């Protein structure tokens, strides 16, 4: 009798073990859509809450949740100008449940050997570009500088930026190298808002940033936009830098390549890019890319919200984005010594 | 305008708005403020996903209420346990906790909560009155003015740490050390890594709120563990009553000067973006002390030392809104989250925000007024009950506070290594208190140092080396000189330091000079390392390290001289310069970090709680298990629901 009871128990245990093993295996083989539905996705933003990257990240995460049925939790991983966020995404479990916003500055950090870099941009699972915001160089409306020509002719003018390591800093270095203008970098502002305030009160003469930040100040009449590298749809009269005759006269082949690089790695060019951990199962990667590129970016509510935030919907597939990144990295590598020299000069 | 004002008030008190948005935001804000290291900002971030489902007024009301009332909650823990609910509440500890130890926690809370309500009203009035005219005022302040305003805050280090000549010097050396610690990390101007020892973790500097938690909160727990008593030491004859609370309420009117000084300081700090809101409470404290008829009482339970910093904290919120609304530029991180919330609502934030959405300002004004009044009322009604916590025995209080602090430290940035930082600083804080170095001055330096350097570098780059010759800058420089001269004049011998409640000489520490020697060696190392950095990157570290080192050398000389006066052993054999019971207490408090690192957040906290109660405090098994379960469940709940973005660390179990 006792033996029969034990045999019965053993049978149940064996059955349960087989069942659990098969179930867990089945969970891994679930179609991607079913896998994400009801699951929790961590969306990493490599900056503090409230900033422009954070706002975009939260907007995206809301619509990713809507179109996948997943619960998307935004996690702010600050530090190193986005490096810590990039590291966090890179090192997460490759199950598709971690993704986040990366930034163009990471290309500089990876190529020029930034401290703390533990990622390889070529290995992320790229979901593509979602938004861009046109870049814009602006001066104060009360300033004596009214155009690019004025800046080019100036003996010296003060250009504000956040500090070495930021994308804006690299942009300033590239523009200076490309145009040969006499900009004097004033580095150390905490964020673009502080720079704009400094511009309005006359502490600095120009700021190069993105339309989502500078746009409201242009509309209120406090800032005058003088140039853009990629074009501002809302303000078509703002001249594209490479088309200005005075700029064309000064551009060397290296300068042209730098302007092109600047347009690509913007701020303007790369915009807001989304990636997941390397080596995610192919079906999940494909599913998420399709959700983001096709469903989220064409959702009328998302489009409306993006427009109100001064962003342009700019889809670019993961594959195309990786190509663009590779070109940028190759250019930075090609001009590594020139860029490093520019960075060093700016730091003196 | 009056019509709009009254209409907005009516909307605020409509049943739907009041019971579903306003009141819950007040209660959640208070609770989040009470939790160390967690603030209203956490609540704001948690709410962001739901913002787009609210109307703009509902969103603004909820976010701003959370932000403005959390400081009210934070003051309670500062007073009751010496644990800052937020970095901005740290200054309240100096006198608030001292009052708690005298069994007057209810008195302190009455004053602090009344101040919160009144300062909130002042802040709202300021916002309403100055909005039409403030733009030119803000634009007249540039980086040089910000730098000197911060320097004014730095000079308050001297005030905060001063007593006799030795105390002033120790205060300045502590502040200098804090300034140097603030420079750890990546230099924002040059991108150079300073004092990081090759560590990626230190590239972003020492987390200020985590360090403040360690220096104040955990250090106090070492003392409680060592003494094994209760917070309210001198309790005979003290009755906790609403009478005490009422006396605290009245004290705000009695010491109206301190209230006004604190409020004005907080408002100015809030209005000027570029200074940082955390500086306000310390500057307010320092200026109130200078203006007080009895400055010697500050740090030992002066009620003015509670009123001034709390007034500064709460009026900062109104000040913060001014640049946010005037320019669409956030005056603080909380404001940037509010703007992000408005952006998610589809509202363009910028200089035209108020023109396009004028009703928002009325909502903000009423939130500041009514929110702070309600929060204070709720807390005042519970003040007497809350004050009873100061009578809880150390065996219960210490593990609870340590776990709260640990969760707060972990949740601040989600980095497990922060638990090491908070533990190290607890040791630093304890030792500093023992040897009469000012912890407050250290924290002020830590808060202000990086901001000061940034504004100094911007000033030199924009205006050249004669940047100080601007009119407003000259006025602020004059104020600084007056403050320092007054501090030097009013310092006299034979007074205890503001922060050091138990000077080392009273406990008989024959080797007290060892700490001074350690500080000197650390400063020499910092100086040597600075010389290896680039020209621009070494400037400020050298400027700070050299005078701090000179001060430390003089203190070392004084300490060696003091030690030669003869042994004052207490009869116990010392290990180095600690008594055995102290070493046990220190090790047990540091043991929390060891448990968490080894076994992860939840298991580590559970294990630690049980072990410390059973083996250190000799509590019964049943009590130990119950508290262990409660704190584990609390930790789990916090990580899952309040701090869901924190990656949960499992210790060795991650490798199994």
């Amino acid at each position: 009798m006792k033996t029969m009871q034990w045999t019965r128990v053993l049978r149940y245990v064996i059955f349960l073990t087989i069942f659990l093993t098969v179930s867990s295996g089945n969970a891994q083989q679930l179609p991607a859509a079913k896998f994400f539905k009801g699951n929790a996705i961590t969306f990493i933003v490599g900056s503090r809450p409230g900033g422009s990257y954070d706002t975009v990240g939260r907007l995206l995460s809301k619509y990713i949740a809507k179109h996948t049925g997943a619960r998307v939790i935004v996690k702010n991983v600050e530090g190193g100008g986005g490096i810590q966020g990039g590291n966090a995404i890179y090192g997460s479990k490759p199950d598709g449940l971690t993704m986040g916003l990366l930034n163009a500055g990471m290309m500089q950090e990876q190529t020029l050997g930034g401290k703390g870099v533990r990622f390889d941009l070529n290995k992320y699972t790229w979901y593509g570009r979602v938004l861009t915001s046109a870049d814009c160089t602006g001066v104060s409306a009360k300033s004596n500088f009214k155009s690019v020509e004025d800046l080019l002719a100036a003996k010296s003018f003060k250009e504000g930026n956040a500090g070495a390591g930021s994308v804006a800093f690299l942009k300033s270095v590239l523009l200076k190298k490309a145009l040969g203008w006499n900009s004097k970098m004033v580095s150390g502002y905490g964020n673009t808002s502080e720079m704009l305030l400094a511009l309005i009160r006359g502490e600095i003469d120009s700021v190069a940033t993105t339309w989502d930040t500078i746009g409201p100040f242009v509309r209120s009449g406090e800032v005058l936009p003088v140039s853009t590298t990629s074009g501002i749809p809302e303000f078509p009269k703002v001249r594209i830098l490479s088309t200005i005759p005075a700029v064309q006269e000064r551009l060397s082949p290296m300068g042209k390549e730098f302007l092109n690089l600047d347009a690509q790695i913007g701020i303007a060019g790369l915009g807001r890019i989304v990636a997941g951990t390397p080596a995610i199962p192919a079906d999940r990667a494909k599913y998420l890319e399709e959700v983001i590129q096709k469903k989220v970016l064409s959702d009328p509510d998302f489009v409306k919200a993006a427009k109100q935030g001064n962003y342009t919907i700019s889809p670019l597939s993961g594959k195309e984005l990786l190509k663009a990144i590779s070109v940028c990295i190759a250019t930075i590598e090609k001009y590594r010594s020139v860029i490093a020299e520019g960075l060093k000069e700016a730091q003196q | 305008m009056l019509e709009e004002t009254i209409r907005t008030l009516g909307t605020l008190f409509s049943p739907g708005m009041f019971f579903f948005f306003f009141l819950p935001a007040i209660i959640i804000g208070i609770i989040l403020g009470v939790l160390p290291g967690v603030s209203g900002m956490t609540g704001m971030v948690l709410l962001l996903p739901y913002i787009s489902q609210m109307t703009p007024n509902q969103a603004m009301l909820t976010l701003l209420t959370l932000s403005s009332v959390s400081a009210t909650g934070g003051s309670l823990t500062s007073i009751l346990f010496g644990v800052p609910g937020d970095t901005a509440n740290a200054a309240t500890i100096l006198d608030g906790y001292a009052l708690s130890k005298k069994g007057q926690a209810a008195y302190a809370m009455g004053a602090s909560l009344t101040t919160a309500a009144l300062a909130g009203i002042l802040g709202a009035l300021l916002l309403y009155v100055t909005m039409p005219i403030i733009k030119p005022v803000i634009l007249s302040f540039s980086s040089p003015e910000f730098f000197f305003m911060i320097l004014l805050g730095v000079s308050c280090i001297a005030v905060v740490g001063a007593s006799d000549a030795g105390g002033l010097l120790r205060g300045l050396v502590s502040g200098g050390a804090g300034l140097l610690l603030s420079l750890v990390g990546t230099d924002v101007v040059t991108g150079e890594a300073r004092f990081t020892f090759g560590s990626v973790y230190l590239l972003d500097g020492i987390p200020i709120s985590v360090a403040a938690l360690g220096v104040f909160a955990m250090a106090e727990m070492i003392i409680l563990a060592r003494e094994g008593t209760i917070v309210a030491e001198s309790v005979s004859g003290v009755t906790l009553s609403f009478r005490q609370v009422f006396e605290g309420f009245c004290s705000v009117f009695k010491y109206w000067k301190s209230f006004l000084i604190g409020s004005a300081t907080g408002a100015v700090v809030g209005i000027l973006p570029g200074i940082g809101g955390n500086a306000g409470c310390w500057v307010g404290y320092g200026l109130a002390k200078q203006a007080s008829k009895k400055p010697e009482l500050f740090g030992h339970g002066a009620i003015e030392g509670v009123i001034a910093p709390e007034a500064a904290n709460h009026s900062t919120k109104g000040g913060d809104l001014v640049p946010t609304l005037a320019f669409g530029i956030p005056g603080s991180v909380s404001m940037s989250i509010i703007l992000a919330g408005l952006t998610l609502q589809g509202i363009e934030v910028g200089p035209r925000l108020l023109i396009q959405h004028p009703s928002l300002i009325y909502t903000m004004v009423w939130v500041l007024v009514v929110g702070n009044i309600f929060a204070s009322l709720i807390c005042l009604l519970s003040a007497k009950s809350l004050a009873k916590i100061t009578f809880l025995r150390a065996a219960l209080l210490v593990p609870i506070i340590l776990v709260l602090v640990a969760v707060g430290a972990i949740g601040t940035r989600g980095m497990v290594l922060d638990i090491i930082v908070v533990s190290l600083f607890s040791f630093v804080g304890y030792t500093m208190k023992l040897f009469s170095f000012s912890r407050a001055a250290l924290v002020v330096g830590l808060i202000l140092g990086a901001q000061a350097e940034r504004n100094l570098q911007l000033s030199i780059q924009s205006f050249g080396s004669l940047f100080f010759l601007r009119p407003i800058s000259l006025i602020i420089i004059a104020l600084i000189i007056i403050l320092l001269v007054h501090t030097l004049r009013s310092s006299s011998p034979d007074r205890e330091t503001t922060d050091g409640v138990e000077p080392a000489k009273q406990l008989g520490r024959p080797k007290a000079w060892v700490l001074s020697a350690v500080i000197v060696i650390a400063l020499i190392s910092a100086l040597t390392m600075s010389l290896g950095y680039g020209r621009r990157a070494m400037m400020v570290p050298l400027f700070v390290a050299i005078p701090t080192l000179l001060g430390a050398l003089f203190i070392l000389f004084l300490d060696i001289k003091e030690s030669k006066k003869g042994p004052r052993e207490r009869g116990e054999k010392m290990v180095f310069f600690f008594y055995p019971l102290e070493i046990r207490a220190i090790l047990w408090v540091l043991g929390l970090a060891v448990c968490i690192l080894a076994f992860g957040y939840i298991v580590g906290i559970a294990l630690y709680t049980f072990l410390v109660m059973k083996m250190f405090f000799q509590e019964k098994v049943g009590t130990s298990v119950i508290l262990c379960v409660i704190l584990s469940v609390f930790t789990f709940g916090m990580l899952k629901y309040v701090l869901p973005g924190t990656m949960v660390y499992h210790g060795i179990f991650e490798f199994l």
Side-chain angles (χ1 to χ4, degrees), chain A residues 48 62 75 79 184 187-188 203 219 347-348, chain B residues 52 143 190 204 336 346 348 454 461-462 536 645:
Chain A
R48 62 179 175 81
K62 179 183 166 186
K75 177 172 158 55
K184 183 189 161 200
S187 306
E203 188 171 312
R219 288 193 208 97
Q347 288 165 1
Q348 290 309 311
Chain B
S52 51
S143 297
T190 64
D204 286 304
S336 66
E348 179 187 275
R454 209 163 61 78
Q461 290 173 88
S462 295
R536 204 180 267 186

PDB file of all heavy atoms in Angstrom, chain A residues 48 62 75 79 184 187-188 203 219 347-348, chain B residues 52 143 190 204 336 346 348 454 461-462 536 645:
ATOM      1  N   ARG A  48      18.725  62.438 -17.423  1.00  0.00           N
ATOM      2  CA  ARG A  48      17.878  62.646 -16.255  1.00  0.00           C
ATOM      3  C   ARG A  48      16.399  62.796 -16.658  1.00  0.00           C
ATOM      4  O   ARG A  48      16.096  63.133 -17.805  1.00  0.00           O
ATOM      5  CB  ARG A  48      18.328  63.913 -15.515  1.00  0.00           C
ATOM      6  CG  ARG A  48      18.204  65.160 -16.344  1.00  0.00           C
ATOM      7  CD  ARG A  48      18.634  66.420 -15.568  1.00  0.00           C
ATOM      8  NE  ARG A  48      18.620  67.583 -16.434  1.00  0.00           N
ATOM      9  CZ  ARG A  48      17.534  68.282 -16.758  1.00  0.00           C
ATOM     10  NH1 ARG A  48      16.371  67.935 -16.261  1.00  0.00           N
ATOM     11  NH2 ARG A  48      17.595  69.312 -17.559  1.00  0.00           N
ATOM     12  N   LYS A  62       5.138  55.031 -24.410  1.00  0.00           N
ATOM     13  CA  LYS A  62       3.667  54.975 -24.300  1.00  0.00           C
ATOM     14  C   LYS A  62       3.075  54.279 -25.529  1.00  0.00           C
ATOM     15  O   LYS A  62       2.185  53.420 -25.417  1.00  0.00           O
ATOM     16  CB  LYS A  62       3.142  56.407 -24.194  1.00  0.00           C
ATOM     17  CG  LYS A  62       1.643  56.519 -24.089  1.00  0.00           C
ATOM     18  CD  LYS A  62       1.236  57.975 -24.064  1.00  0.00           C
ATOM     19  CE  LYS A  62      -0.263  58.077 -24.313  1.00  0.00           C
ATOM     20  NZ  LYS A  62      -0.694  59.465 -24.431  1.00  0.00           N
ATOM     21  N   LYS A  75      13.311  53.782 -17.553  1.00  0.00           N
ATOM     22  CA  LYS A  75      14.320  53.838 -16.496  1.00  0.00           C
ATOM     23  C   LYS A  75      15.383  54.852 -16.922  1.00  0.00           C
ATOM     24  O   LYS A  75      15.934  54.762 -18.008  1.00  0.00           O
ATOM     25  CB  LYS A  75      14.943  52.455 -16.331  1.00  0.00           C
ATOM     26  CG  LYS A  75      16.049  52.396 -15.306  1.00  0.00           C
ATOM     27  CD  LYS A  75      16.454  50.953 -15.072  1.00  0.00           C
ATOM     28  CE  LYS A  75      17.854  50.823 -14.504  1.00  0.00           C
ATOM     29  NZ  LYS A  75      18.112  51.555 -13.288  1.00  0.00           N
ATOM     30  N   GLY A  79      24.516  59.476 -16.647  1.00  0.00           N
ATOM     31  CA  GLY A  79      25.955  59.346 -16.463  1.00  0.00           C
ATOM     32  C   GLY A  79      26.721  59.264 -17.753  1.00  0.00           C
ATOM     33  O   GLY A  79      26.308  58.577 -18.695  1.00  0.00           O
ATOM     34  N   LYS A 184      34.925  81.299 -30.176  1.00  0.00           N
ATOM     35  CA  LYS A 184      35.584  81.000 -28.905  1.00  0.00           C
ATOM     36  C   LYS A 184      34.563  80.217 -28.075  1.00  0.00           C
ATOM     37  O   LYS A 184      33.489  80.716 -27.766  1.00  0.00           O
ATOM     38  CB  LYS A 184      35.959  82.313 -28.219  1.00  0.00           C
ATOM     39  CG  LYS A 184      36.721  82.124 -26.926  1.00  0.00           C
ATOM     40  CD  LYS A 184      36.874  83.413 -26.168  1.00  0.00           C
ATOM     41  CE  LYS A 184      37.199  83.093 -24.707  1.00  0.00           C
ATOM     42  NZ  LYS A 184      36.923  84.184 -23.806  1.00  0.00           N
ATOM     43  N   SER A 187      32.440  76.840 -22.566  1.00  0.00           N
ATOM     44  CA  SER A 187      31.959  75.492 -22.217  1.00  0.00           C
ATOM     45  C   SER A 187      31.609  75.389 -20.746  1.00  0.00           C
ATOM     46  O   SER A 187      32.253  76.002 -19.905  1.00  0.00           O
ATOM     47  CB  SER A 187      33.046  74.452 -22.494  1.00  0.00           C
ATOM     48  OG  SER A 187      33.490  74.567 -23.810  1.00  0.00           O
ATOM     49  N   GLY A 188      30.609  74.560 -20.479  1.00  0.00           N
ATOM     50  CA  GLY A 188      30.282  74.270 -19.088  1.00  0.00           C
ATOM     51  C   GLY A 188      28.830  74.496 -18.727  1.00  0.00           C
ATOM     52  O   GLY A 188      28.432  74.296 -17.591  1.00  0.00           O
ATOM     53  N   GLU A 203      25.480  86.965 -22.609  1.00  0.00           N
ATOM     54  CA  GLU A 203      26.724  86.393 -22.079  1.00  0.00           C
ATOM     55  C   GLU A 203      27.502  85.683 -23.182  1.00  0.00           C
ATOM     56  O   GLU A 203      28.724  85.636 -23.176  1.00  0.00           O
ATOM     57  CB  GLU A 203      26.347  85.418 -20.959  1.00  0.00           C
ATOM     58  CG  GLU A 203      27.494  84.876 -20.161  1.00  0.00           C
ATOM     59  CD  GLU A 203      27.016  84.106 -18.943  1.00  0.00           C
ATOM     60  OE1 GLU A 203      26.152  84.625 -18.209  1.00  0.00           O
ATOM     61  OE2 GLU A 203      27.517  82.986 -18.732  1.00  0.00           O
ATOM     62  N   ARG A 219      10.200  81.560 -32.036  1.00  0.00           N
ATOM     63  CA  ARG A 219       8.803  82.009 -32.226  1.00  0.00           C
ATOM     64  C   ARG A 219       8.470  83.197 -31.330  1.00  0.00           C
ATOM     65  O   ARG A 219       7.661  84.039 -31.695  1.00  0.00           O
ATOM     66  CB  ARG A 219       7.834  80.867 -31.945  1.00  0.00           C
ATOM     67  CG  ARG A 219       7.848  79.810 -33.013  1.00  0.00           C
ATOM     68  CD  ARG A 219       6.667  78.860 -32.867  1.00  0.00           C
ATOM     69  NE  ARG A 219       7.055  77.575 -33.407  1.00  0.00           N
ATOM     70  CZ  ARG A 219       7.502  76.553 -32.681  1.00  0.00           C
ATOM     71  NH1 ARG A 219       7.590  76.649 -31.367  1.00  0.00           N
ATOM     72  NH2 ARG A 219       7.870  75.431 -33.252  1.00  0.00           N
ATOM     73  N   GLN A 347      39.772  73.073 -25.291  1.00  0.00           N
ATOM     74  CA  GLN A 347      39.850  72.871 -23.854  1.00  0.00           C
ATOM     75  C   GLN A 347      40.894  73.756 -23.192  1.00  0.00           C
ATOM     76  O   GLN A 347      41.004  73.798 -21.971  1.00  0.00           O
ATOM     77  CB  GLN A 347      40.191  71.400 -23.556  1.00  0.00           C
ATOM     78  CG  GLN A 347      39.030  70.472 -23.831  1.00  0.00           C
ATOM     79  CD  GLN A 347      39.458  69.021 -23.887  1.00  0.00           C
ATOM     80  OE1 GLN A 347      40.624  68.693 -23.702  1.00  0.00           O
ATOM     81  NE2 GLN A 347      38.515  68.138 -24.133  1.00  0.00           N
ATOM     82  N   GLN A 348      41.667  74.495 -23.988  1.00  0.00           N
ATOM     83  CA  GLN A 348      42.721  75.335 -23.396  1.00  0.00           C
ATOM     84  C   GLN A 348      42.193  76.675 -22.912  1.00  0.00           C
ATOM     85  O   GLN A 348      41.187  77.148 -23.396  1.00  0.00           O
ATOM     86  CB  GLN A 348      43.824  75.586 -24.442  1.00  0.00           C
ATOM     87  CG  GLN A 348      44.628  74.336 -24.752  1.00  0.00           C
ATOM     88  CD  GLN A 348      45.154  73.638 -23.510  1.00  0.00           C
ATOM     89  OE1 GLN A 348      45.735  74.258 -22.634  1.00  0.00           O
ATOM     90  NE2 GLN A 348      44.920  72.344 -23.408  1.00  0.00           N
TER      91      GLN A 348
ATOM     92  N   SER B  52      -0.719  62.259 -19.768  1.00  0.00           N
ATOM     93  CA  SER B  52      -1.447  62.595 -20.997  1.00  0.00           C
ATOM     94  C   SER B  52      -2.936  62.283 -20.877  1.00  0.00           C
ATOM     95  O   SER B  52      -3.738  62.739 -21.678  1.00  0.00           O
ATOM     96  CB  SER B  52      -0.844  61.845 -22.188  1.00  0.00           C
ATOM     97  OG  SER B  52      -0.738  60.482 -21.883  1.00  0.00           O
ATOM     98  N   SER B 143      26.643  84.568 -15.173  1.00  0.00           N
ATOM     99  CA  SER B 143      27.489  83.589 -14.483  1.00  0.00           C
ATOM    100  C   SER B 143      28.319  84.188 -13.352  1.00  0.00           C
ATOM    101  O   SER B 143      28.453  83.561 -12.298  1.00  0.00           O
ATOM    102  CB  SER B 143      28.410  82.880 -15.474  1.00  0.00           C
ATOM    103  OG  SER B 143      27.645  82.157 -16.404  1.00  0.00           O
ATOM    104  N   THR B 190      36.404  70.677 -19.439  1.00  0.00           N
ATOM    105  CA  THR B 190      37.465  70.062 -20.245  1.00  0.00           C
ATOM    106  C   THR B 190      37.222  68.586 -20.535  1.00  0.00           C
ATOM    107  O   THR B 190      37.892  68.003 -21.373  1.00  0.00           O
ATOM    108  CB  THR B 190      38.820  70.180 -19.525  1.00  0.00           C
ATOM    109  OG1 THR B 190      38.737  69.424 -18.307  1.00  0.00           O
ATOM    110  CG2 THR B 190      39.136  71.629 -19.199  1.00  0.00           C
ATOM    111  N   ASP B 204      30.970  60.204 -12.755  1.00  0.00           N
ATOM    112  CA  ASP B 204      29.884  61.170 -12.555  1.00  0.00           C
ATOM    113  C   ASP B 204      29.887  61.773 -11.165  1.00  0.00           C
ATOM    114  O   ASP B 204      28.906  62.389 -10.751  1.00  0.00           O
ATOM    115  CB  ASP B 204      28.533  60.509 -12.850  1.00  0.00           C
ATOM    116  CG  ASP B 204      28.348  60.320 -14.341  1.00  0.00           C
ATOM    117  OD1 ASP B 204      28.434  61.315 -15.068  1.00  0.00           O
ATOM    118  OD2 ASP B 204      28.176  59.170 -14.760  1.00  0.00           O
ATOM    119  N   SER B 336      11.825  70.782 -14.464  1.00  0.00           N
ATOM    120  CA  SER B 336      11.996  70.200 -15.800  1.00  0.00           C
ATOM    121  C   SER B 336      11.057  69.018 -15.984  1.00  0.00           C
ATOM    122  O   SER B 336      10.568  68.771 -17.080  1.00  0.00           O
ATOM    123  CB  SER B 336      13.450  69.809 -16.057  1.00  0.00           C
ATOM    124  OG  SER B 336      13.851  68.779 -15.208  1.00  0.00           O
ATOM    125  N   GLY B 346       1.041  67.972 -24.769  1.00  0.00           N
ATOM    126  CA  GLY B 346       0.910  68.658 -26.045  1.00  0.00           C
ATOM    127  C   GLY B 346       0.987  70.173 -25.914  1.00  0.00           C
ATOM    128  O   GLY B 346       0.597  70.894 -26.829  1.00  0.00           O
ATOM    129  N   GLU B 348       3.186  73.558 -25.714  1.00  0.00           N
ATOM    130  CA  GLU B 348       4.527  74.023 -26.019  1.00  0.00           C
ATOM    131  C   GLU B 348       5.070  74.785 -24.814  1.00  0.00           C
ATOM    132  O   GLU B 348       4.458  75.748 -24.352  1.00  0.00           O
ATOM    133  CB  GLU B 348       4.526  74.950 -27.237  1.00  0.00           C
ATOM    134  CG  GLU B 348       5.934  75.448 -27.549  1.00  0.00           C
ATOM    135  CD  GLU B 348       5.979  76.495 -28.641  1.00  0.00           C
ATOM    136  OE1 GLU B 348       6.006  76.105 -29.822  1.00  0.00           O
ATOM    137  OE2 GLU B 348       5.979  77.689 -28.313  1.00  0.00           O
ATOM    138  N   ARG B 454      31.771  75.538 -12.060  1.00  0.00           N
ATOM    139  CA  ARG B 454      31.164  75.705 -13.376  1.00  0.00           C
ATOM    140  C   ARG B 454      30.926  77.175 -13.679  1.00  0.00           C
ATOM    141  O   ARG B 454      31.270  77.677 -14.748  1.00  0.00           O
ATOM    142  CB  ARG B 454      29.828  74.948 -13.405  1.00  0.00           C
ATOM    143  CG  ARG B 454      29.402  74.426 -14.729  1.00  0.00           C
ATOM    144  CD  ARG B 454      28.324  73.369 -14.581  1.00  0.00           C
ATOM    145  NE  ARG B 454      27.138  73.870 -13.943  1.00  0.00           N
ATOM    146  CZ  ARG B 454      26.223  74.609 -14.561  1.00  0.00           C
ATOM    147  NH1 ARG B 454      26.369  74.922 -15.808  1.00  0.00           N
ATOM    148  NH2 ARG B 454      25.157  75.028 -13.905  1.00  0.00           N
ATOM    149  N   GLN B 461      35.527  82.575 -19.027  1.00  0.00           N
ATOM    150  CA  GLN B 461      35.459  82.422 -20.481  1.00  0.00           C
ATOM    151  C   GLN B 461      34.662  83.542 -21.132  1.00  0.00           C
ATOM    152  O   GLN B 461      34.986  84.009 -22.221  1.00  0.00           O
ATOM    153  CB  GLN B 461      34.818  81.074 -20.839  1.00  0.00           C
ATOM    154  CG  GLN B 461      35.672  79.859 -20.523  1.00  0.00           C
ATOM    155  CD  GLN B 461      34.892  78.574 -20.740  1.00  0.00           C
ATOM    156  OE1 GLN B 461      34.866  78.019 -21.829  1.00  0.00           O
ATOM    157  NE2 GLN B 461      34.246  78.089 -19.695  1.00  0.00           N
ATOM    158  N   SER B 462      33.594  83.971 -20.467  1.00  0.00           N
ATOM    159  CA  SER B 462      32.719  84.984 -21.095  1.00  0.00           C
ATOM    160  C   SER B 462      33.194  86.406 -20.848  1.00  0.00           C
ATOM    161  O   SER B 462      33.067  87.264 -21.719  1.00  0.00           O
ATOM    162  CB  SER B 462      31.295  84.851 -20.544  1.00  0.00           C
ATOM    163  OG  SER B 462      30.740  83.634 -20.906  1.00  0.00           O
ATOM    164  N   ARG B 536      43.455  74.090 -17.218  1.00  0.00           N
ATOM    165  CA  ARG B 536      42.126  74.550 -16.795  1.00  0.00           C
ATOM    166  C   ARG B 536      41.533  73.609 -15.741  1.00  0.00           C
ATOM    167  O   ARG B 536      40.849  74.049 -14.831  1.00  0.00           O
ATOM    168  CB  ARG B 536      41.204  74.633 -18.005  1.00  0.00           C
ATOM    169  CG  ARG B 536      40.076  75.598 -17.810  1.00  0.00           C
ATOM    170  CD  ARG B 536      39.201  75.662 -19.008  1.00  0.00           C
ATOM    171  NE  ARG B 536      39.606  76.716 -19.910  1.00  0.00           N
ATOM    172  CZ  ARG B 536      38.909  77.047 -20.998  1.00  0.00           C
ATOM    173  NH1 ARG B 536      37.837  76.393 -21.339  1.00  0.00           N
ATOM    174  NH2 ARG B 536      39.315  78.033 -21.766  1.00  0.00           N
ATOM    175  N   GLY B 645      11.984  51.351 -11.803  1.00  0.00           N
ATOM    176  CA  GLY B 645      13.066  51.440 -12.773  1.00  0.00           C
ATOM    177  C   GLY B 645      14.382  50.926 -12.221  1.00  0.00           C
ATOM    178  O   GLY B 645      15.356  50.813 -12.963  1.00  0.00           O
TER     179      GLY B 645
END
